[in-house]
Amino acid sequence: MKRNLLNIAIEPWIHQMGLDIGGWVMGEIKQSGLIEAVDKALPKTSNNKTLSNGETLALLLVKHASSTPSPLSALPAYAATIPMAAWLENPKLDPTMFNRFVVSELFDDLMEFGPSRFFSLCASALLRAYDLSSVDSCNFDSSSFHWHGALLVFDPLTDPKVLKRIEEGDQMLAEDQSELVVTFGYSRDNRPQDRQINVMMATVWIPGTAMPVPICAYPFSGNGNDIAQFPEFIANAAPRIKEACPNMTFLVCDSAGATYKAVKACLEAGLHQITRLTDSTTSARLAFKKAAEGQVQWQEIVAKGDEGQEDQVIVKVAEVGTHVFKGHKKKGETDIAGKMLLVNTEAMRGKKTETINHRAEKEQRKA
């Protein structure tokens, strides 16, 4: 979210008014209990007690949502433009306290705590305000980012603070133990000259809201393959997802999850997986052939409009047998069979046709 501008047309002038959403964002953060949750998990260890880690994070979130990006050295100047003391209900606060030093301390404590673990902590705090008893499915996807500027590769297992925590018996989670190396890996952003970092994320749709909410995330190296990382992500994320949503049953994902290891990881975590087979799969080709020859029986799925208009067919589905994920026999792995459905979505026909025509035109121009 960015600062929006409201144009009020009063002939013959146009007045421009800035809409600052910072107060609304801070109100949502305070109501969620995020500040208290962060302060409990990341108590301040330095002598700089002016702002707690939870308060620092809240101010960073408000700044990100309501102002343009700026260097950390500009944080006090930004704080001077907001009612920081009133928002945090502490009259002793002044703008100079929100600076790069308290932010650096927050990031140090966050890294020691574990990035994935911290993300789940924040997500759980924000989701407490909602009734998640009816949420039974989550969506999984992965993406990549490119990294700007100089980079210092950091291995958490060589950090003295982290090693001390482990010696004292604090069990770090698996995804927080692995070294996250940012590399010149495969670039989904079409920026092969920049270092890459990948992230996997699971989101849930909450009743009464109009957008998905992230529930857990897992960063991994730019050279990493999401297909290979998927089983590990499920094994670590499933307990957190089920803790927040006790009735979680289904995990929906793209073709990255259509592997034996991924399906097995979901079953072991008590989740049913809904995924997509690639078009090159033999099972998929046979299903397409049956459909083209009229050998499948379609079942229409209808939906009623928001304003009560008549039901409309939005998709057609047909059962076309099973797809078997082959296990490694020498390792004692048994095959896993899953129900296979063929989906026909008329709403996608125009978009797919446009994509195919665009590719054909490019090939024609090359020729």
Side-chain angles (χ1 to χ4, degrees):
M1 294 182 290
K2 299 297 181 185
R3 185 187 298 265
N4 296 320
L5 295 176
L6 175 65
N7 290 328
I8 304 176
I10 305 177
E11 294 296 340
W13 307 281
I14 294 181
H15 295 267
Q16 197 173 65
M17 180 188 303
L19 295 181
D20 192 347
I21 61 173
W24 172 76
V25 175
M26 179 60 77
E28 291 290 323
I29 292 173
K30 294 186 67 176
Q31 184 177 2
S32 70
L34 177 63
I35 295 177
E36 292 76 12
V38 172
D39 286 339
K40 183 178 179 180
L42 300 180
K44 204 67 176 283
T45 56
S46 70
N47 294 325
N48 187 352
K49 306 291 185 181
T50 54
L51 286 173
S52 69
N53 281 329
E55 292 172 333
T56 302
L57 177 64
L59 291 173
L60 283 175
L61 292 174
V62 173
K63 184 184 185 307
H64 176 72
S66 60
S67 70
T68 56
S70 62
L72 294 181
S73 58
L75 291 178
Y78 164 76
T81 66
I82 61 174
M84 185 176 76
W87 281 352
L88 298 177
E89 301 180 43
N90 186 351
K92 296 181 180 180
L93 298 179
D94 67 74
T96 60
M97 297 177 179
F98 184 47
N99 51 49
R100 58 191 176 95
F101 301 106
V102 294
V103 172
S104 298
E105 290 170 356
L106 166 65
F107 289 161
D108 287 342
D109 292 340
L110 190 157
M111 193 63 195
E112 181 184 344
F113 186 81
S116 296
R117 185 181 173 195
F118 183 75
F119 187 97
S120 295
L121 167 76
C122 295
S124 298
L126 295 172
L127 290 173
R128 288 194 192 104
Y130 300 96
D131 179 14
L132 303 179
S133 60
S134 62
V135 177
D136 62 356
S137 66
C138 65
N139 287 65
F140 156 81
D141 202 359
S142 60
S143 187
S144 67
F145 303 90
H146 58 269
W147 193 282
H148 291 281
L151 175 70
L152 176 63
V153 176
F154 174 75
D155 180 0
L157 290 187
T158 62
D159 184 85
K161 292 183 180 179
V162 178
L163 293 175
K164 182 179 179 182
R165 280 181 50 209
I166 297 175
E167 290 173 0
E168 294 173 352
D170 189 0
Q171 296 296 319
M172 295 183 68
L173 296 169
E175 68 267 36
D176 294 324
Q177 293 183 31
S178 59
E179 180 181 359
L180 180 61
V181 182
V182 184
T183 65
F184 294 96
Y186 166 70
S187 175
R188 304 184 195 184
D189 302 320
N190 295 319
R191 293 176 180 266
Q193 74 279 5
D194 293 326
R195 291 181 179 269
Q196 305 294 311
I197 184 171
N198 296 326
V199 64
M200 292 184 173
M201 182 174 291
T203 59
V204 295
W205 285 86
I206 298 177
T209 64
M211 62 184 299
V213 177
I215 193 170
C216 59
Y218 169 41
F220 60 100
S221 299
N223 271 344
N225 186 301
D226 54 351
I227 296 177
Q229 295 289 334
F230 185 88
E232 182 179 342
F233 171 75
I234 292 301
N236 291 304
R240 303 182 187 182
I241 295 174
K242 288 201 165 187
E243 182 180 358
C245 307
N247 295 320
M248 185 63 64
T249 306
F250 303 100
L251 185 142
V252 184
C253 60
D254 60 13
S255 57
T259 66
Y260 179 85
K261 290 183 178 180
V263 175
K264 183 180 178 182
C266 284
L267 292 176
E268 291 177 346
L271 294 171
H272 296 288
Q273 186 190 133
I274 301 175
T275 185
R276 179 182 68 83
L277 295 176
T278 59
D279 295 347
S280 59
T281 306
T282 302
S283 299
R285 289 182 175 181
L286 292 175
F288 292 147
K289 186 175 183 294
K290 287 182 179 180
E293 295 174 352
Q295 299 180 19
V296 299
Q297 186 174 359
W298 296 103
Q299 178 181 350
E300 296 181 346
I301 297 179
V302 299
K304 182 172 289 186
D306 296 334
E307 299 178 0
Q309 60 263 40
E310 294 183 2
D311 293 346
Q312 296 180 347
V313 176
I314 59 171
V315 70
K316 295 179 182 180
V317 180
E319 291 193 28
V320 285
T322 59
H323 175 79
V324 178
F325 295 92
K326 298 288 186 179
H328 199 290
K329 304 299 182 184
K330 293 184 179 180
K331 295 181 180 179
E333 297 176 344
T334 57
D335 295 345
I336 302 174
K339 180 183 293 186
M340 190 164 62
L341 303 176
L342 192 61
V343 181
N344 182 357
T345 308
E346 281 295 328
M348 292 292 291
R349 183 183 296 276
K351 183 177 181 181
K352 291 293 184 182
T353 302
E354 182 181 348
T355 301
I356 293 172
N357 289 338
H358 179 66
R359 290 177 180 172
E361 290 173 359
K362 287 180 64 177
E363 292 298 323
Q364 189 175 16
R365 284 196 297 269
K366 289 180 181 179

